[in-house]
Amino acid sequence: GIQVEQSPPDLILQEGANSTLRCNFSDSVNNLQWFHQNPWGQLINLFYIPSGTKQNGRLSATTVATERYSLLYISSSQTTDSGVYFCAVGNNAGNMLTFGGGTRLMVKP
Amino acid sequence: EAQVTQNPRYLITVTGKKLTVTCSQNMNHEYMSWYRQDPGLGLRQIYYSMNVEVTDKGDVPEGYKVSRKEKRNFPLILESPSPNQTSLYFCASSLSFSPYYGYTFGSGTRLTVV
């Protein structure tokens, strides 16, 4: 099956700092999503981005499908950005998402 | 508001007592699935459904049942829960059984089996 690796596993930032999270995947994909799991456990869909670049406020994401990686950028981080960020890729059959191990982000005030 | 709704959010039960976790979506999505999340193991798929009356096993189906009698609902049934089913459960839906659509997840159900 598809392998999904995220880095770094843990990240501590001071409020206002910028960061880049990386997701590498082992095979070509047609479906890639970024999620934020907040401290209450909820999984929030950030981006559906199988290729190209998207932006939503302070967050943006870029997927280079030919090189099998995706990046999530967080600018001017806030304490509410804390939580775990997951990258998930869909198999070509369309019946399953494979999740990476996540990046645990802590933003300190 | 477009959403996936799971109930209950929290549940503590005893070994062997049958329970059902409900999942409902209001987006007319064809595809629905269940995942469980465990420390160190990440999120793993339990079952999925491509449409009404069509379901199939994911990676970890043992000890679970599902049904899809209506398009909007996809309940997860634990006939005889055991402590190793203590986990955080998520229901998800997508427009279609295809790799070209994003998934929307419910808020999760934290289950403890004692």
Side-chain angles (χ1 to χ4, degrees):
Chain A
I2 299 172
Q3 305 297 313
V4 183
E5 294 184 357
Q6 291 185 242
S7 60
D10 296 280
L11 187 58
I12 300 175
L13 296 176
Q14 206 65 38
E15 198 168 27
N18 302 329
S19 63
T20 301
L21 283 57
R22 186 176 180 103
C23 171
N24 292 330
F25 44 94
S26 61
D27 205 349
S28 60
V29 296
N30 295 307
N31 184 335
L32 187 144
Q33 293 185 256
W34 283 97
F35 295 92
H36 175 219
Q37 187 166 36
N38 64 23
W40 295 271
Q42 294 176 306
L43 271 174
I44 311 299
N45 191 331
L46 298 176
F47 294 103
Y48 169 76
I49 186 166
S51 63
T53 297
K54 288 186 179 179
Q55 179 154 9
N56 185 0
R58 296 181 296 103
L59 273 58
S60 64
T62 295
T63 297
V64 184
T66 54
E67 297 187 25
R68 300 180 184 171
Y69 73 88
S70 182
L71 302 173
L72 178 70
Y73 306 96
I74 304 174
S75 64
S76 304
S77 58
Q78 300 176 357
T79 56
T80 52
D81 295 331
S82 296
V84 183
Y85 289 81
F86 288 102
C87 166
V89 302
N91 61 358
N92 288 328
N95 63 345
M96 187 169 68
L97 285 179
T98 298
F99 284 77
T103 292
R104 186 175 299 275
L105 173 65
M106 179 184 296
V107 181
K108 294 186 171 182
Chain B
E1 181 188 352
Q3 59 186 358
V4 177
T5 303
Q6 292 179 229
N7 280 297
R9 290 289 312 278
Y10 303 91
L11 179 60
I12 301 174
T13 190
V14 296
T15 299
K17 185 176 181 182
K18 181 179 179 179
L19 66 92
T20 299
V21 183
T22 64
C23 174
S24 180
Q25 49 90 8
N26 62 359
M27 297 168 280
N28 201 35
H29 283 178
E30 290 184 348
Y31 175 87
M32 298 183 75
S33 64
W34 278 102
Y35 287 78
R36 61 177 288 175
Q37 184 180 23
D38 302 288
L41 297 175
L43 284 103
R44 296 175 292 169
Q45 189 184 57
I46 304 171
Y47 269 95
Y48 66 93
S49 169
M50 294 176 282
N51 213 324
V52 176
E53 302 291 3
V54 183
T55 63
D56 206 348
K57 297 176 181 178
D59 287 337
V60 288
E62 294 77 21
Y64 304 95
K65 285 177 58 177
V66 293
S67 68
R68 187 92 182 272
K69 294 184 171 59
E70 307 166 279
K71 199 172 188 178
R72 63 183 294 126
N73 296 323
F74 189 45
L76 180 70
I77 303 157
L78 285 72
E79 296 259 352
S80 183
S82 62
N84 64 12
Q85 292 178 298
T86 292
S87 186
L88 178 58
Y89 291 87
F90 289 99
C91 179
S93 74
S94 179
L95 183 61
S96 179
F97 180 66
S98 158
Y100 300 105
Y101 299 103
Y103 286 43
T104 301
F105 280 78
S107 297
T109 295
R110 195 172 292 277
L111 172 66
T112 302
V113 183
V114 298

